[in-house]
Amino acid sequence: MFQQKLTYVFLLLHLLDSSQGAFVNRRSSNGELRLVTTKLSALGNDGIGFLDKPSIDTSSRLSMSTGYDTDEEYSRCLSPKQERRNVLDEGYKLIDERPRWRRALFKPINKVRDAIFPSSALKPGNLIMVCTGTSTWKQNFTFTGWADPDLTEQGIQECEHGARLLIEAGYEPDIIYTSRLKRAIRSVYTIVQELDSVYLPIFKSWRLNERMYGDVTGLSKKETAKRLGSNVVQAWRRSLKARPPPAKKGGEFDPSQDRKYSDLTEEQIPLTESLQDCMERTRPLWDYKISRDLRRGNNVMIVGHSNSLRGLCKIIDDVPDKDIPDITIPAGIPLVYKFDKYMKPITPKEGSLTQLHTSGVFLEKPGLLKEALKRQEIWKEKVPGSEGDSEIKSQTKRLNTMEKSLMKLREEKEMEKWAEQFGNTEEYQVKFANGGSSFVEEDDDEGQFEEDTHTKDASELAGVIPNVGQKIDVDKEPVVVFIRHGRTPHNILSLFTGWEDPPLAKSGVEDAKRGGKLLKKHGYKFDVVYSSWLTRAIETAWYVLDELDMTWLPVIKSWRLNERHYGALTGKSKKMVGNIYGEDQLKKWRRGFNIPPPKTSSFSFEYPGNDYKRTKYVSDIRISLSETLFRSIEAKQFQLHRKFPKSESLKMCMDRSIPFYTERIVPEAVAKGKRVLITSHENAIRGILMHLCEIPEENMNDLHLPNGVPLVYNVRRKCISLLDDGTGEDPLKKYDFGSAVEYLFKPCELLEEDFIVEDETEATEREAVQA
């Protein structure tokens, strides 16, 4: 207590010293009028915890204790209509919705239906709250706020455990909301990987960011408590209205210096916040988006931070101000809310794991996992090699029986080839009619199976220049970068993949990371990412963005960027298809531009209409009357079904990918000067490149795209180029682009500025001669 009083005396004397700076009235970004000094040094630079913070902008004693004179400071300056418009306009459209006129038309019809048949009325979905895993700063007891540290290994384990609790309880999220901070986004990715649901729409909003801790961001909580008093620090941390001192404008922790908040106005970016401030910026997102999704019957998962989630609990349960310090959200343990038809939280059954003052139910008693992980670390130290689960963790997704058998067969054949050079095989030699031996070279077309191409030799490619190192001002010019997903087990096994959904193989992860590192090396930045709804493309986007440290970017997932659907050939190898349908027919399907493979059955696993987890997000495919009729009869209730493809030719695939680019990506991003990343599949990207590079239809099957290699489209110069990887190798020898490479790497168009620069150079030379 004596030290705390001494600190306040020191502050008062420091403020009265005119040589240290004049008094000014400052109004913070949240509207509070404060008395501060324009120049203040740190409280004792010898102190631990202030070592990394050379100065602290110290506010009046009032803001250290309560921070408010009246509650009027929280009155909203925007009308509800303006506030609603602001929230709805934030970010990109992640889910295709029915046109507004159609929603307006069906609204009264649905109301009449619900009145006549109450059982058919949509019940609100479940709300699942998950607090981010432990970050590196949280582990060190550091004020974090809007700073952006990553998760620790413990934090990743906490999120994996939380996902398994959701699986055990049977909860399946439909939509995910999270903040723009790295620790929250990695928590989301860890959870959806464990749930096998990376295709879910993920809305990343600044409104769900952690509370802004202002100028104490980056300081040790313990040391700050020793210097200013534990009651001051606890007021900042736990009370509803106390604010820490604001961050310095233009300083290290001023969010306006961070590109991820470039879409926000100056008034929206806080320099400090109380819990009430944090709750008030979160409230509009709850009012106009999250609660709306819940009313539509969607299960919504919010992966947020302790204070943003505490604020939501206060809003939902109307927790009194005096009780807000009692609300705690532990890391990684899902908290589930259920609602009645009026969107009021349902009181849980007696004996549920419910926190005081709230209606949410924890799926596990908080603290159990933390204790278990602590004991696990102790056990590892005492018993080396006791980790035990490495084999389970190495398999990110299960292989089916056929895939396991083919993978094992591949390993055996590689072993046979290796053994042949050492062993004496004469005893086992078999003479064949064609004179060959029993050891026959395997036809290895790994990674190129679905797109069998003829590669031109060096003499044929002598006139092709791949535009390596084409200069683009990545900070100013619009650009579109295409990356084909990394390799998958299906690529390695030479299986028709199509809409089947294998994850990336280890080599595929390296493909994606290599592409991300190359983009980072050349200073590329992006504003938005488009991908398919298939795991291999979404995972590729994640690894690329992770390398670029841009995981906060919006990722828009669409079925229109999916791979070509191979129908009944899905999951089969070239050898299987050749034996079943004949080699001639196989060549027609592989080489023909407008010849679809045989259709898959409506009742087969390969038919995308049976993937109910994904089909719920599709509204831009016409309705199938026959499928609707048959499925309604089978279900004994009306089942609306859309006409999903059962098989596609290359042309049919392009007929959906090209319009998606021209009618969605271009007006939404490219035409606005945005920098776009597209991670997709070979045939979907082929279609867009056919449009951009004017590749003839008859040459489309001769274009091959390497996995993980960025193809940079210069929007202004209308050409494709490659990035210099620093190896000095000829990319046409290093990668197989197929025999249509000459159409891909056409010379870039010249612009007027190219000639202007040339004229200026000539003028300079003339002036030099004259001088």
Side-chain angles (χ1 to χ4, degrees):
M1 182 60 72
F2 174 75
Q3 187 178 12
Q4 180 184 340
K5 291 180 178 179
L6 187 63
T7 301
Y8 289 152
V9 171
F10 178 84
L11 282 172
L12 183 60
L13 292 173
H14 203 64
L15 290 169
L16 293 174
D17 185 359
S18 61
S19 65
Q20 294 296 318
F23 283 108
V24 296
N25 284 328
R26 179 186 299 173
R27 186 170 294 278
S28 65
S29 62
N30 45 40
E32 182 186 4
L33 188 65
R34 299 182 178 172
L35 188 64
V36 300
T37 59
T38 57
K39 182 180 178 183
L40 286 175
S41 59
L43 298 176
N45 263 340
D46 60 330
I48 301 173
F50 283 86
L51 196 58
D52 298 330
K53 300 287 291 182
S55 62
I56 182 169
D57 183 11
T58 310
S59 301
S60 65
R61 184 172 177 176
L62 175 64
S63 65
M64 286 186 179
S65 56
T66 63
Y68 294 91
D69 293 319
T70 67
D71 288 338
E72 292 178 0
E73 294 174 11
Y74 281 118
S75 61
R76 298 185 183 183
C77 56
L78 294 177
S79 68
K81 188 175 181 180
Q82 290 174 315
E83 202 171 54
R84 179 177 180 272
R85 178 47 51 197
N86 279 357
V87 172
L88 295 180
D89 287 345
E90 287 175 5
Y92 290 80
K93 186 173 66 172
L94 299 180
I95 302 175
D96 292 326
E97 295 183 337
R98 292 181 299 173
R100 187 176 298 176
W101 66 266
R102 190 180 297 178
R103 296 201 303 270
L105 177 65
F106 279 91
K107 189 173 182 179
I109 297 175
N110 292 336
K111 284 187 175 181
V112 172
R113 180 200 63 190
D114 295 342
I116 299 175
F117 305 104
S119 60
S120 66
L122 277 177
K123 296 180 180 178
N126 300 310
L127 176 64
I128 304 163
M129 293 188 190
V130 182
C131 188
T132 64
T134 301
S135 70
T136 52
W137 282 27
K138 184 176 181 180
Q139 196 174 47
N140 296 330
F141 302 100
T142 303
F143 283 106
T144 308
W146 282 37
D148 208 17
D150 211 338
L151 292 184
T152 61
E153 183 59 35
Q154 176 186 326
I156 293 174
Q157 289 178 321
E158 288 166 346
C159 295
E160 290 174 340
H161 183 72
R164 291 165 193 148
L165 290 174
L166 290 173
I167 294 172
E168 179 188 49
Y171 290 108
E172 297 181 354
D174 298 311
I175 300 171
I176 299 176
Y177 286 84
T178 190
S179 75
R180 293 187 187 177
L181 298 173
K182 188 186 304 178
R183 57 193 183 273
I185 296 167
R186 194 175 299 278
S187 296
V188 170
Y189 186 73
T190 303
I191 291 171
V192 295
Q193 270 203 315
E194 193 69 25
L195 294 175
D196 192 18
S197 301
V198 295
Y199 57 85
L200 288 173
I202 301 170
F203 188 84
K204 302 164 187 173
S205 174
W206 67 278
R207 293 181 182 276
L208 287 173
N209 275 20
E210 177 57 290
R211 171 187 172 189
M212 176 52 164
Y213 277 109
D215 211 34
V216 301
T217 302
L219 297 182
S220 165
K221 295 176 182 177
K222 293 181 179 179
E223 294 302 323
T224 306
K226 286 181 182 178
R227 291 184 172 277
L228 298 181
S230 59
N231 62 331
V232 173
V233 174
Q234 282 302 318
W236 291 341
R237 293 185 63 201
R238 308 299 296 173
S239 73
L240 186 66
K241 297 182 179 180
R243 293 189 185 112
K248 288 182 174 59
K249 198 73 174 169
E252 180 184 1
F253 297 113
D254 177 5
S256 64
Q257 307 298 305
D258 195 330
R259 193 170 73 88
K260 65 168 67 80
Y261 306 116
S262 59
D263 59 324
L264 304 185
T265 63
E266 186 177 355
E267 291 74 24
Q268 288 177 311
I269 297 177
L271 293 178
T272 183
E273 285 182 315
S274 66
L275 176 58
Q276 181 86 356
D277 293 321
C278 180
M279 183 180 74
E280 288 303 320
R281 67 167 154 85
T282 305
R283 183 189 295 274
L285 188 68
W286 165 260
D287 288 342
Y288 304 121
K289 276 196 171 179
I290 298 175
S291 61
R292 182 188 66 171
D293 288 331
L294 288 167
R295 281 193 293 269
R296 291 178 176 177
N298 294 305
N299 292 328
V300 177
M301 182 165 71
I302 303 175
V303 180
H305 309 267
S306 56
N307 284 301
S308 58
L309 296 181
R310 287 170 68 207
L312 282 172
C313 288
K314 176 173 170 54
I315 293 171
I316 295 169
D317 284 303
D318 196 20
V319 179
D321 293 0
K322 63 182 179 62
D323 294 326
I324 197 64
D326 298 332
I327 306 299
T328 302
I329 312 292
I333 306 299
L335 177 67
V336 180
Y337 276 88
K338 296 179 181 294
F339 299 90
D340 61 20
K341 63 180 181 179
Y342 304 107
M343 282 301 295
K344 299 294 182 183
I346 297 174
T347 304
K349 296 178 181 178
E350 190 175 347
S352 301
L353 295 174
T354 306
Q355 190 169 192
L356 193 65
H357 312 303
T358 70
S359 304
V361 176
F362 288 110
L363 296 189
E364 183 179 83
K365 186 177 180 181
L368 292 179
L369 177 65
K370 188 175 182 180
E371 183 63 27
L373 291 175
K374 190 187 299 181
R375 291 182 178 275
Q376 185 184 45
E377 289 302 316
I378 297 173
W379 181 254
K380 285 180 184 178
E381 291 176 6
K382 292 183 177 179
V383 186
S386 61
E387 288 81 357
D389 63 344
S390 58
E391 184 178 347
I392 296 174
K393 295 189 78 172
S394 66
Q395 294 293 334
T396 56
K397 192 174 180 182
R398 292 184 300 276
L399 297 174
N400 63 36
T401 304
M402 185 190 77
E403 291 164 353
K404 284 182 180 178
S405 298
L406 290 176
M407 191 69 78
K408 186 65 178 176
L409 179 63
R410 184 183 179 85
E411 293 174 359
E412 291 168 351
K413 288 188 175 182
E414 289 176 354
M415 192 183 302
E416 289 169 355
K417 289 180 183 179
W418 173 80
E420 183 181 11
Q421 57 186 324
F422 302 106
N424 180 9
T425 60
E426 292 181 1
E427 180 182 351
Y428 306 102
Q429 288 286 355
V430 177
K431 293 184 178 180
F432 294 101
N434 60 7
S437 70
S438 59
F439 283 87
V440 182
E441 285 292 317
E442 184 72 14
D443 180 18
D444 186 10
D445 55 357
E446 176 182 330
Q448 302 176 20
F449 164 58
E450 296 183 9
E451 301 81 19
D452 191 20
T453 61
H454 164 66
T455 307
K456 293 188 176 183
D457 58 32
S459 61
E460 292 178 285
L461 298 175
V464 180
I465 302 175
N467 302 325
V468 177
Q470 174 69 38
K471 296 294 183 182
I472 297 179
D473 188 343
V474 294
D475 290 321
K476 297 179 181 178
E477 295 187 51
V479 66
V480 181
V481 176
F482 299 92
I483 298 183
R484 182 191 175 193
H485 65 78
R487 284 166 288 179
T488 69
H490 278 54
N491 295 134
I492 295 171
L493 294 171
S494 296
L495 303 178
F496 279 115
T497 311
W499 286 34
E500 201 162 356
D501 201 24
L504 294 181
K506 288 183 179 179
S507 57
V509 172
E510 292 306 313
D511 291 335
K513 288 183 175 181
R514 186 171 59 248
K517 289 174 181 175
L518 188 57
L519 289 166
K520 184 176 182 179
K521 175 184 175 182
H522 288 271
Y524 272 75
K525 299 174 183 176
F526 297 99
D527 300 300
V528 61
V529 182
Y530 293 88
S531 186
S532 73
W533 71 9
L534 298 175
T535 300
R536 56 194 184 273
I538 300 169
E539 286 185 341
T540 299
W542 167 262
Y543 288 113
V544 170
L545 294 178
D546 200 26
E547 291 294 336
L548 293 169
D549 195 21
M550 296 180 193
T551 54
W552 53 271
L553 287 174
V555 180
I556 299 166
K557 305 156 190 172
S558 173
W559 71 275
R560 292 187 177 275
L561 290 177
N562 278 15
E563 179 55 285
R564 170 187 176 186
H565 196 299
Y566 285 102
L569 307 187
T570 301
K572 294 182 172 62
S573 70
K574 177 179 67 176
K575 189 175 292 185
M576 294 177 191
V577 175
N579 288 332
I580 297 171
Y581 298 99
E583 293 293 334
D584 292 339
Q585 186 61 54
L586 173 62
K587 288 180 181 178
K588 291 180 182 179
W589 288 329
R590 297 179 72 187
R591 308 289 297 171
F593 180 72
N594 199 19
I595 304 176
K599 293 182 179 181
T600 188
S601 165
S602 298
F603 305 101
S604 72
F605 181 76
E606 289 77 25
Y607 177 55
N610 293 330
D611 187 355
Y612 298 111
K613 290 183 179 180
R614 287 177 168 88
T615 55
K616 68 177 73 173
Y617 303 107
V618 178
S619 61
D620 55 347
I621 299 180
R622 69 182 182 86
I623 295 170
S624 170
L625 296 179
S626 59
E627 292 288 343
T628 297
L629 175 62
F630 296 145
R631 290 171 187 270
S632 298
I633 293 173
E634 187 272 335
K636 296 182 180 178
Q637 62 178 0
F638 182 71
Q639 296 278 340
L640 187 67
H641 195 81
R642 299 187 180 275
K643 196 174 182 64
F644 290 95
K646 297 181 180 179
S647 173
E648 288 180 309
S649 64
L650 183 55
K651 181 181 183 303
M652 294 164 71
C653 176
M654 294 177 179
D655 284 344
R656 55 175 164 82
S657 65
I658 294 175
F660 184 76
Y661 178 81
T662 58
E663 298 171 14
R664 174 78 186 270
I665 298 177
V666 169
E668 188 173 74
V670 179
K672 296 179 180 178
K674 303 295 184 182
R675 295 156 293 188
V676 177
L677 173 65
I678 299 176
T679 61
S680 186
H681 311 264
E682 180 156 52
N683 284 309
I685 296 176
R686 271 178 171 177
I688 300 173
L689 293 177
M690 175 185 174
H691 165 74
L692 296 175
C693 302
E694 299 178 348
I695 303 174
E697 290 183 3
E698 58 270 20
N699 296 104
M700 282 309 302
N701 273 302
D702 297 325
L703 178 65
H704 181 61
L705 305 180
N707 299 89
V709 176
L711 298 175
V712 181
Y713 178 67
N714 189 323
V715 176
R716 297 174 67 228
R717 298 180 181 273
K718 299 180 181 178
C719 63
I720 296 287
S721 60
L722 297 173
L723 299 177
D724 184 3
D725 60 5
T727 63
E729 297 181 57
D730 183 351
L732 298 186
K733 294 180 180 179
K734 185 175 182 179
Y735 303 113
D736 175 21
F737 288 98
S739 57
V741 65
E742 59 193 287
Y743 298 101
L744 183 64
F745 296 116
K746 296 189 300 184
C748 296
E749 292 185 5
L750 294 175
L751 304 175
E752 288 185 12
E753 62 197 53
D754 299 320
F755 300 100
I756 293 173
V757 171
E758 185 177 348
D759 292 342
E760 290 176 352
T761 304
E762 291 176 355
T764 304
E765 290 175 353
R766 282 197 303 271
E767 290 174 3
V769 171
Q770 291 173 0

